[in-house]
Amino acid sequence: MTTISTNSSLIDRAKSRDCLLCDHCGLPVPAGLIEPEHEKQFCCNGCRTAYSVIHEFELDRYYTLRNKQAVAPSAARDTYEEFDSPTYVEQWVRSNAETTTCNATIGVHGMHCAACVWLLDRLPRISSGVLDSRVNLAKHTIDVRYNSSTTKPSDIAKIIGSLGYRPTLPRSVAVQQTRQQEDRRALIQLGIAGACAANTMLFAVALYAGALADMSAEHTRIIRWVSMAFSIVSVAWPGRIFLRSAFNHLRARTIGLDVPIAVALSVGVVWSIVSTLRDAGEVYYDSLSVLVFALLLARFIQQRQQRWATSAIEHIISLVPASARIVDENGLERVIPIDALQKNTIVLVKPGESVPADGIVIDGESHLDTSILTGESRPMHVSAGSSVFAGTQNESREIRVRVENTGATTRISKLMQLMEEGAAKKAPIIDLADKATAWFIGVISLVALLTWIFALPLGGAAATERTVSLLIVSCPCALGLATPMAISIALGRAAKRGVLIKSGAALQALAGSGILWLDKTGTVTTGSMQIVRTLGNANAVQLAASLERDIPHPIAHAIAAHVQTTYPDPEHVTYHTGRGVTGIVNGHSVVVGSLGFVQSELGTDAPSPKNSHLTPDDLDAWRKRSAGDALTPVFIAVDNAIVAAVATGDAVREDARDSVEQLTRLGWDVGLLSGDEPAIAEHVGSVVGIHRVVGGATPEHKLDVVTQALGTTIMVGDGVNDAAALAAATVGIAVHGGAEASLDAADIYLQHPGLRDIVSTVQLGKGTMRVVKSNLAISFLYNAGAITAATLGYVSPLVAAVLMPISSLTVVLNSLRAGRTDTM
């Protein structure tokens, strides 16, 4: 008979807990797998094997490190030290060199609705070190400006944690996981609330029917108790979001959107429970359960719409790949996460792949689709030494890139950051609505108290019912949603169409009127030299294009790009700087340049009428006409005769005149503000129908013109010389292909060339403000009628529970009209 000695330490472990835990994974060990004769216990053979391998290779420190990490999260949640770490500070904290203020971005887990935004926007009232806070509900983040001499990011995280939210690092993956968790939790709560509402409604029908059919008191009492159970579950579980939010608001000494809802739920539940215990008086279990369900449903739809409205902007940043293909010092390729990419790393970008970071091409040549940044439809040729940017797509050949900027420091990330910072800035009309909502809540609280006092002579039940109905039906959710919902949807729709608007304030300004300044080059004109018209022999122009193919001059590029030739490479090409070019093309002697240069090369003061197809009068008329239209005349001689001429210049965009007329009809006084010669600016202005023209303007002069204008000003430009004016204008608009400085300074970025998008954006602003005003009107009319009816006793809590979310849903559905224009 074999005797098994029992391990004393194993007995101690068994006594100290309900079950034994696996020594590898920490999960409970099934009773059938417990081995009393062994010190180590495992829940399965896989854990046993893993433990043996780790122990065999002397890697037992793994368990020490794992245990430390298992404890770290709880400690971190107490101290939030990770928010003071160099890694977090480097990526998410931006300091101001001129002051002691800093800006930090913190992820917030647990935000649900506008009430959460309301509370977190008031962090400056809670902490003197916090100067400003702006919440991005769609991304579950908060941007905080704070005094770095007295406050640390971890201090702010502690405040957020004390309000019932969980601060997190603002990682994109974490944001997606948070959204999934929030959506799953919201659906579970919605399902529970719906089940409770349906059951309490059925029991309410039974009570009402029983009252008419003389139901026995015992059955009535049972139905009331069962209804109470369902109602308590509804309020205490899915409805606790409103109670917790109201409590957090009161802790922050503010009255938020959820305070009247929480009061209505609390009063209704307490009164109903007391009536049930006393077996006398009215109960409102059906109304309370329906209210919770209707509110959660309305907020779920609102959240989905807000997510949809911001999806277009997030889609842009999502074009940056999640991984990068790097080449190590041994020339081997391997794929790493994008977050692990570092400066000076060599990355390999194959055809069809997106560039993972900003950098310099060190090997290979290809064509990149850069439309995501510039709006340029034609692929950009890159070779060794060319700069490339994250998010652009490689189209033809494999290239190797040395990384310069990664993650948040890339050009596309900076552009998105500017948009997000601007979007966090509230439009004036939103601030007005917020203030109105705050006053509204205070007034409603006073009216509810007065209603209860004056209705007391009718009985406690009647007074309570009127008060609960009033608090429910007057919830200011519709008023709070009226403006931000419409603006959010409009910004999302605009982004999908290539119009990136950084803030609602810019959108609101477009809805007004004032002066709109257009820069000439690249805005009203194409911004590149090209042939505007030709005269004479078309074949001669083709010969000239072949000759100019490799000449480093804008006019030469314009002529070379005008036609597609099949002629062989030119011979004996001589470039006379600033005058013209001579050479042999396909056996013909060709001279291209100014009239004086061509005539001097031909050895005569004028072309020979015998050999020329153009007379001296033709040439002189062409020169004068070109000068009058601010174009540069170029003459072409073939085999010792001037046979053709072209006029080159920065051509006016085809849509310019029509767009200017539409902007004028929309209430804007359109002007032309250009750095070109006044004569050229005047000519372009006359072509497109602009009478207010300022030419020869330096960057400083442009700034003065914009700042001295009265009322609202819009500046549209694309160059570095426009950046100061763009920043100073009420609304700065950077057009397609703009310089980096102009993109940073502008409030709006147009990804497509032409002026049509400017017209569409102005129409968008006006249309969105119309929707906002209609939303405010709907909210006002609803509240005026509903509050009056509830105060007079014409609205029961059940009817109020149905009416209140309907008003919010009406505002949401009306907001869907925002951003719809016929031209965008």
Side-chain angles (χ1 to χ4, degrees):
M1 181 176 179
T2 304
T3 302
I4 300 177
S5 60
T6 304
N7 192 310
S8 60
S9 62
L10 183 62
I11 296 175
D12 293 337
R13 288 173 58 190
K15 291 180 178 179
S16 63
R17 61 189 76 178
D18 295 334
C19 62
L20 293 176
L21 300 182
C22 176
D23 281 285
H24 175 68
C25 69
L27 295 177
V29 179
L33 295 180
I34 295 177
E35 300 175 327
E37 70 275 14
H38 292 101
E39 169 69 21
K40 302 298 181 183
Q41 300 294 316
F42 303 98
C43 64
C44 64
N45 288 329
C47 287
R48 184 190 303 277
T49 303
Y51 182 89
S52 299
V53 172
I54 292 173
H55 181 71
E56 180 181 351
F57 289 91
E58 299 181 353
L59 299 175
D60 298 82
R61 190 166 177 265
Y62 159 79
Y63 295 101
T64 303
L65 295 175
R66 187 192 65 180
N67 292 336
K68 287 182 179 180
Q69 291 176 352
V71 176
S74 60
R77 282 194 291 271
D78 292 334
T79 62
Y80 302 104
E81 294 178 355
E82 66 268 30
F83 291 94
D84 295 330
S85 66
T87 302
Y88 171 80
V89 171
E90 181 181 355
Q91 293 190 35
W92 302 106
V93 177
R94 302 171 297 283
S95 59
N96 189 329
E98 299 178 357
T99 65
T100 59
T101 62
C102 291
N103 290 76
T105 301
I106 299 175
V108 182
H109 180 81
M111 289 194 297
H112 304 283
C113 59
C116 300
V117 176
W118 181 296
L119 177 60
L120 291 171
D121 273 345
R122 281 153 180 76
L123 285 184
R125 298 188 182 184
I126 303 173
S127 172
S128 59
V130 179
L131 306 177
D132 188 25
S133 60
R134 293 167 182 160
V135 176
N136 188 324
L137 179 60
K139 299 194 72 173
H140 289 265
T141 60
I142 179 172
D143 289 315
V144 181
R145 183 166 61 88
Y146 63 95
N147 187 340
S148 59
S149 62
T150 61
T151 306
K152 299 181 296 183
S154 60
D155 297 330
I156 302 171
K158 288 179 184 177
I159 298 172
I160 295 173
S162 69
L163 294 176
Y165 304 97
R166 181 162 62 86
T168 62
L169 298 180
R171 298 285 186 183
S172 58
V173 174
V175 168
Q176 292 297 329
Q177 292 175 346
T178 299
R179 287 184 179 178
Q180 292 175 0
Q181 293 172 1
E182 295 290 348
D183 287 345
R184 189 179 299 112
R185 185 179 297 108
L187 286 173
I188 292 174
Q189 292 176 342
L190 192 60
I192 294 171
C196 292
N199 281 282
T200 53
M201 284 295 293
L202 288 174
F203 289 125
V205 171
L207 281 176
Y208 298 145
L212 298 176
D214 296 327
M215 180 187 293
S216 66
E218 182 180 357
H219 289 153
T220 300
R221 191 179 304 112
I222 292 174
I223 292 177
R224 281 194 169 198
W225 278 87
V226 175
S227 298
M228 182 179 70
F230 277 105
S231 184
I232 290 176
V233 170
S234 178
V235 174
W237 189 347
R240 73 180 184 276
I241 182 175
F242 308 111
L243 303 177
R244 184 174 60 231
S245 176
F247 177 71
N248 290 335
H249 278 79
L250 295 176
R251 285 176 58 188
R253 288 171 291 187
T254 62
I255 300 179
L257 301 177
D258 285 338
V259 171
I261 296 175
V263 172
L265 290 174
S266 301
V267 172
V269 166
V270 171
W271 182 270
S272 299
I273 292 176
V274 170
S275 297
T276 302
L277 295 176
R278 293 175 55 235
D279 199 18
E282 294 293 329
V283 294
Y284 308 109
Y285 298 128
D286 51 346
S287 302
L288 297 172
S289 299
V290 170
L291 172 62
V292 172
F293 174 70
L295 283 172
L296 290 176
L297 178 61
R299 292 194 175 185
F300 182 77
I301 295 175
Q302 171 198 348
Q303 185 181 53
R304 301 295 293 182
Q305 288 299 330
Q306 287 178 329
R307 297 261 181 94
W308 172 85
T310 57
S311 62
I313 297 175
E314 293 179 353
H315 172 69
I316 296 174
I317 196 67
S318 70
L319 294 177
V320 178
S323 60
R325 192 190 311 274
I326 70 168
V327 181
D328 60 22
E329 58 275 6
N330 298 321
L332 300 177
E333 300 178 17
R334 58 191 177 93
V335 177
I336 63 172
I338 192 70
D339 291 339
L341 198 58
Q342 298 180 351
K343 186 176 180 180
N344 294 324
T345 303
I346 306 301
V347 297
L348 183 67
V349 186
K350 296 187 175 182
E353 296 180 346
S354 295
V355 179
D358 295 353
I360 305 295
V361 178
I362 61 171
D363 185 35
E365 62 176 319
S366 183
H367 287 84
L368 299 184
D369 178 1
T370 61
S371 59
I372 185 65
L373 289 174
T374 66
E376 177 61 61
S377 58
R378 293 176 298 180
M380 181 184 74
H381 178 265
V382 296
S383 57
S386 300
S387 296
V388 294
F389 301 98
T392 57
Q393 188 171 29
N394 187 12
E395 291 195 341
S396 51
R397 297 185 182 89
E398 184 179 284
I399 57 174
R400 297 194 178 200
V401 178
R402 185 179 68 249
V403 173
E404 295 288 332
N405 298 303
T406 64
T409 62
T410 60
R411 182 182 179 187
I412 190 171
S413 294
K414 288 180 179 179
L415 181 60
M416 293 303 102
Q417 182 180 352
L418 288 170
M419 290 186 60
E420 291 171 1
E421 289 176 354
K425 298 177 182 177
K426 293 183 178 179
I429 195 169
I430 295 181
D431 285 331
L432 178 62
D434 284 348
K435 292 177 182 178
T437 303
W439 278 98
F440 179 83
I441 294 174
V443 170
I444 287 301
S445 300
L446 178 60
V447 171
L449 177 61
L450 294 176
T451 298
W452 186 80
I453 293 174
F454 284 107
L456 270 179
L458 302 176
T464 301
E465 181 171 331
R466 289 191 183 189
T467 304
V468 170
S469 298
L470 174 62
L471 290 171
I472 293 174
V473 82
S474 63
C475 175
C477 291
L479 183 60
L481 288 174
T483 303
M485 175 65 73
I487 290 179
S488 176
I489 290 175
L491 295 183
R493 282 198 168 124
K496 282 189 173 182
R497 294 157 180 161
V499 179
L500 306 183
I501 304 174
K502 296 180 182 178
S503 69
L507 196 63
Q508 181 180 348
L510 294 177
S513 61
I515 183 168
L516 188 151
W517 289 107
L518 296 172
D519 178 49
K520 181 187 77 69
T521 305
T523 305
V524 177
T525 63
T526 60
S528 60
M529 192 71 72
Q530 56 186 280
I531 292 179
V532 177
R533 52 177 177 261
T534 62
L535 174 71
N537 192 312
N539 185 60
V541 178
Q542 291 183 334
L543 292 171
S546 295
L547 182 64
E548 300 272 20
R549 188 181 302 160
D550 297 317
I551 302 302
H553 191 277
I555 291 180
H557 296 163
I559 297 174
H562 183 69
V563 294
Q564 298 294 328
T565 63
T566 57
Y567 293 118
D569 292 339
E571 301 174 352
H572 308 295
V573 178
T574 303
Y575 173 48
H576 303 265
T577 305
R579 302 182 65 201
V581 186
T582 62
I584 305 297
V585 181
N586 200 31
H588 297 280
S589 173
V590 181
V591 181
V592 183
S594 64
L595 181 59
F597 172 74
V598 174
Q599 288 176 335
S600 66
E601 287 296 312
L602 297 181
T604 176
D605 293 335
S608 170
K610 178 180 178 181
N611 298 325
S612 176
H613 295 169
L614 299 176
T615 67
D617 291 339
D618 293 334
L619 301 177
D620 187 58
W622 183 262
R623 181 178 57 80
K624 292 180 179 179
R625 180 188 175 192
S626 299
D629 293 340
L631 301 175
T632 302
V634 179
F635 299 88
I636 303 169
V638 178
D639 295 333
N640 297 319
I642 301 177
V643 295
V646 298
T648 63
D650 189 3
V652 174
R653 295 188 184 276
E654 295 180 358
D655 63 346
R657 188 176 186 90
D658 181 60
S659 298
V660 169
E661 292 176 354
Q662 291 187 63
L663 290 170
T664 302
R665 288 196 296 269
L666 289 170
W668 291 94
D669 182 9
V670 183
L672 189 66
L673 188 57
S674 174
D676 280 344
E677 292 294 330
I680 297 177
E682 290 283 354
H683 169 73
V684 173
S686 65
V687 171
V688 299
I690 298 177
H691 304 292
R692 186 193 292 262
V693 178
V694 177
T698 62
E700 294 78 9
H701 188 193
K702 289 185 177 182
L703 178 60
D704 290 340
V705 170
V706 169
T707 54
Q708 291 174 8
L710 299 177
T712 304
T713 59
I714 297 178
M715 177 66 197
V716 185
D718 72 333
V720 175
N721 62 330
D722 301 318
L726 288 170
T730 308
V731 179
I733 302 179
V735 299
H736 138 88
E740 192 79 26
S742 65
L743 298 182
D744 290 347
D747 302 292
I748 299 174
Y749 171 44
L750 309 180
Q751 286 187 309
H752 305 300
L755 302 182
R756 287 195 179 93
D757 277 352
I758 300 175
V759 177
S760 300
T761 307
V762 172
Q763 292 174 333
L764 172 70
K766 292 183 178 294
T768 302
M769 288 305 110
R770 284 195 296 269
V771 171
V772 168
K773 291 175 182 177
S774 65
N775 278 346
L776 293 174
I778 291 171
S779 178
F780 175 79
L781 292 175
Y782 158 78
N783 281 290
I787 290 172
T788 302
T791 303
L792 297 176
Y794 294 121
V795 177
S796 68
L798 178 59
V799 174
V802 175
L803 287 179
M804 195 282 295
I806 287 178
S807 68
S808 298
L809 289 176
T810 302
V811 168
V812 170
L813 295 175
N814 188 54
S815 297
L816 293 178
R817 299 190 300 116
R820 290 179 179 172
T821 66
D822 296 333
T823 55
M824 287 192 74

